Amino acid sequence: MSAAAPSSPVVVEAQPVERQGEVLTDAALAFLAELHRRFTPRRDELLALRRDRRAEIARTSSLDFLPETAGVREGDWQVAPAPAALEDRRVEITGPTDRKMTINALNSGARVWLADFEDASAPTWENVIHGQLNLTDAYERRIDFTSPEGKSYALRPAEELATVVMRPRGWHLDERHLLVDGRAVPGALVDFGLYFFRNAQRLIDLGKGPYFYLPKTESHLEARLWNEIFVFAQDYVGIPQGTVRATVLIETITAAYEMDEILYELRDHAAGLNAGRWDYLFSIVKNFRDGGTRFVLPDRNAVTMTAPFMRAYTELLVRTCHKRGAHAIGGMAAFIPSRRDTEVNKVAFQKVKADKDREAGDGFDGSWVAHPDLVPVARESFDAVLGDRPNQKDRLREDVRVTAEQLIDVASLDARPTYEGLRNAVQVGIRYIEAWLRGLGAVAIFNLMEDAATAEISRSQIWQWINAGVVFENGEKATAELARRVAAEELAAIREEIGAEAFEAGRWQEAHDLLLRVSLDEDYAEFLTLPAYELLG
């Protein structure tokens, strides 16, 4: 273990990685300590409020718009105008901040790259530090990469590169390698703090700015905390207020009832809202897991964006954003093109096109893809609607009327859970967790780019189906015993598929055990990544 110099307020409890000293300077660590001491106590209070609200949902099986903030929803106000670099966001690519992805994402032709320290990144110490280095190296144009096969990667000219919007970890995760006053610093403050401190002025000089995606937000009070952090941070480094811009992921069911309020709290720093699909479904299951059969979700792939409760959510998001002058950003196209199967590609591209056509037609200003080959597909859908306009914020969608009940009307779905859905949840869960434990947060599984949100919905559905006593179409009942049997079969199939040597070199048994633990424990773990982090190297 190494420790920071005695003068530093931050203790570094990690084996040093290459170039760590460039990131963890005394000045950067002093900034982190200030953030921690000022804002972690409020973070702790807000996590306690999450638990209180979840208990209330368990008691009532309902949610509603907040009566105490009706004035905000009914008020006449707008967020600050978008900076030039964020005016056109018609296609955004997402991915982790490893060196190869950094170059490929910036070069992808997308307008924005969501540089991800959250669900697409396993927070190993090396990933945390090297992700910061890769972004700064990119801004200074001193980044390149050569693959083991000898293929070289380098940045295109500056005017062709995507604008970076960085996503820090969610509020619930701590960074165990950095301690202030004996306590781990929240991962959100570490990721935000190091990136902001190192790059804010550098980005301004490049004609851009420190832009962020805020994940896992559950209330406007959490948005208010972020706003207070932005105000403090801008004063601390001496840049103008309003330089920071944040896009908030509406990926929890509680946040869907507070979209106006979230934008209002961040209004001087708000850039927009995003519809985060998989985490949104995970949040519904998590919050309404004991609400009975009317909240039981079918197989995740059967919950399309045309489901009535998902339509209500996305249309309310567009209406709210445009009423307030903010961007509305659509969901993820997670398909990974196959170099070998043109028929798979043809069907998948048709589905992606239909999804992006629908989003553009609904009024979204842009959308997400997970692979560079999908950038032209999504761009074509938005080009057809936008033409030369940078966005369609003038489409106010005043025709949209969404009630509190419509947002949680899961029972309106025709689809039901299937045995194959259970098997897929187990397959994807084991394969994703195994990769995550090896430090990979974005993983191609069955031609889809999966991240931590996928594993969360997989284990949550297993948990929900068992606890709701679901009977599948083959007559088998969802039980812990069935889940264990399917998991054992999948583990054996993986061993057969990859061979005994590769199996033993991986972390398959640990992944299997952890998936079953978080899927079967009566005490439902709030986030899979919390127990997983204890196993991470």
Side-chain angles (χ1 to χ4, degrees):
M1 295 293 182
S2 68
S7 60
S8 173
V10 182
V11 175
V12 183
E13 289 199 340
Q15 291 292 343
V17 295
E18 187 183 5
R19 297 178 62 194
Q20 176 177 306
E22 293 178 43
V23 176
L24 302 182
T25 62
D26 287 346
L29 291 173
F31 180 59
L32 284 189
E34 279 291 312
L35 291 176
H36 176 75
R37 287 171 178 156
R38 285 171 180 265
F39 300 111
T40 298
R42 181 57 179 158
R43 189 282 309 244
D44 296 343
E45 292 172 1
L46 291 169
L47 292 183
L49 285 177
R50 285 184 178 182
R51 293 188 286 272
D52 293 345
R53 194 174 199 184
R54 158 59 201 150
E56 181 66 10
I57 293 170
R59 189 180 67 78
T60 64
S61 290
S62 68
L63 270 171
D64 204 345
F65 300 103
L66 302 177
E68 63 268 28
T69 55
V72 172
R73 292 193 298 279
E74 294 160 8
D76 183 15
W77 53 269
Q78 295 230 315
V79 303
L86 291 178
E87 190 67 18
D88 188 328
R89 303 176 63 171
R90 66 186 69 198
V91 186
E92 304 193 353
I93 192 167
T94 76
T97 53
D98 61 86
R99 217 156 176 83
K100 179 182 173 184
M101 181 66 193
T102 296
I103 298 168
N104 281 348
L106 289 169
N107 287 347
S108 66
R111 296 301 178 107
V112 165
W113 170 35
L114 186 157
D116 200 7
F117 285 79
E118 200 232 359
D119 272 0
S121 179
T124 63
W125 184 237
E126 184 174 17
N127 286 346
V128 169
I129 296 298
H130 284 176
Q132 297 282 350
L133 285 165
N134 291 338
L135 292 175
T136 304
D137 283 354
Y139 299 147
E140 295 189 343
R141 298 193 66 86
R142 59 180 190 189
I143 190 170
D144 54 33
F145 178 79
T146 302
S147 72
E149 300 77 32
K151 186 176 180 182
S152 295
Y153 299 81
L155 290 179
R156 290 179 175 168
E159 62 275 11
E160 297 179 29
L161 302 182
T163 294
V164 173
V165 180
M166 182 271 219
R167 180 162 71 168
R169 280 170 279 183
W171 279 129
H172 60 288
L173 292 165
D174 286 338
E175 176 48 69
R176 66 168 180 250
H177 300 100
L178 294 175
L179 306 179
V180 174
D181 305 328
R183 273 200 64 185
V185 180
L189 295 182
V190 172
D191 299 338
F192 163 80
L194 292 175
Y195 179 77
F196 177 88
F197 189 82
R198 289 166 54 76
N199 299 301
Q201 188 59 54
R202 183 180 281 114
L203 286 161
I204 293 168
D205 294 343
L206 291 171
K208 299 187 177 182
Y211 306 141
F212 298 93
Y213 259 110
L214 303 181
K216 307 283 193 292
T217 301
E218 296 197 17
S219 76
H220 70 286
L221 298 178
E222 295 179 16
R224 181 182 297 172
L225 176 59
W226 271 117
N227 198 69
E228 291 168 356
I229 290 166
F230 296 156
V231 169
F232 169 78
Q234 288 166 131
D235 281 347
Y236 189 96
V237 302
I239 63 174
Q241 289 296 328
T243 306
V244 169
R245 290 307 167 92
T247 305
V248 180
L249 291 115
I250 303 299
E251 56 184 352
T252 67
I253 185 62
T254 53
Y257 288 83
E258 300 183 34
M259 290 195 250
D260 270 306
E261 293 90 330
I262 286 167
L263 286 174
Y264 182 79
E265 294 294 344
L266 287 160
R267 58 195 180 279
D268 294 333
H269 301 105
L273 302 177
N274 166 274
R277 300 174 179 184
W278 295 132
D279 259 319
Y280 190 74
L281 294 177
F282 158 53
S283 175
I284 291 174
V285 175
K286 178 162 72 169
N287 279 288
F288 291 93
R289 62 183 182 268
D290 36 24
T293 54
R294 69 190 178 103
F295 290 106
V296 171
L297 284 175
D299 305 357
R300 71 161 176 140
N301 292 324
V303 187
T304 68
M305 298 308 291
T306 58
F309 71 101
M310 296 300 277
R311 290 287 293 160
Y313 150 61
T314 54
E315 292 204 304
L316 180 61
L317 189 147
V318 173
R319 179 183 175 163
T320 304
C321 285
H322 289 183
K323 182 180 180 182
R324 306 307 181 184
H327 281 75
I329 307 299
M332 168 73 87
F335 175 66
I336 300 297
S338 168
R339 301 287 186 235
R340 294 183 298 277
D341 196 330
T342 55
E343 194 53 40
V344 165
N345 284 355
K346 182 180 175 183
V347 173
F349 277 130
Q350 287 172 348
K351 287 183 178 178
V352 171
K353 183 181 185 307
D355 186 48
K356 300 311 169 191
D357 284 350
R358 178 190 49 74
E359 286 182 329
D362 283 348
F364 280 97
D365 303 294
S367 191
W368 283 8
V369 299
H371 192 279
D373 288 359
L374 294 180
V375 170
V377 180
R379 187 169 55 226
E380 184 181 350
S381 295
F382 281 89
D383 285 351
V385 169
L386 293 174
D388 294 332
R389 295 180 301 151
N391 54 63
Q392 51 182 334
K393 289 192 283 191
D394 57 338
R395 278 197 67 195
L396 298 181
R397 292 305 313 270
E398 290 174 340
D399 56 305
V400 172
R401 294 283 184 276
V402 173
T403 66
E405 293 74 27
Q406 286 173 321
L407 287 170
I408 50 173
D409 186 15
V410 175
S412 62
L413 283 170
D414 290 333
R416 295 290 175 264
T418 67
Y419 176 79
E420 186 55 37
L422 174 70
R423 205 166 74 83
N424 182 258
V426 170
Q427 285 180 309
V428 172
I430 291 174
R431 289 166 188 260
Y432 179 80
I433 293 170
E434 193 277 336
W436 196 92
L437 293 174
R438 288 188 289 109
L440 300 174
V443 188
I445 304 173
F446 307 143
N447 287 326
L448 293 176
M449 183 61 79
E450 308 286 19
D451 68 10
T454 306
E456 292 285 25
I457 187 68
S458 296
R459 65 97 179 190
S460 297
Q461 293 204 286
I462 298 167
W463 194 100
Q464 185 187 47
W465 294 345
I466 290 170
N467 281 272
V470 165
V471 177
F472 298 118
E473 78 290 349
N474 64 358
E476 290 206 71
K477 185 177 181 181
T479 63
E481 291 69 33
L482 178 61
R484 289 191 187 97
R485 190 187 85 206
V486 172
E489 290 169 357
E490 288 308 319
L491 201 61
I494 290 167
R495 187 185 184 98
E496 181 73 20
E497 177 188 324
I498 67 175
E501 187 176 344
F503 184 89
E504 296 303 330
R507 301 188 68 176
W508 295 102
Q509 188 67 50
E510 286 175 279
H512 163 278
D513 295 350
L514 180 58
L515 177 69
L516 288 180
R517 177 177 148 199
V518 295
S519 300
L520 304 182
D521 273 7
E522 188 177 336
D523 184 16
Y524 179 95
E526 252 189 298
F527 291 95
L528 159 70
T529 44
L530 293 172
Y533 188 49
E534 301 306 313
L535 303 174
L536 195 64

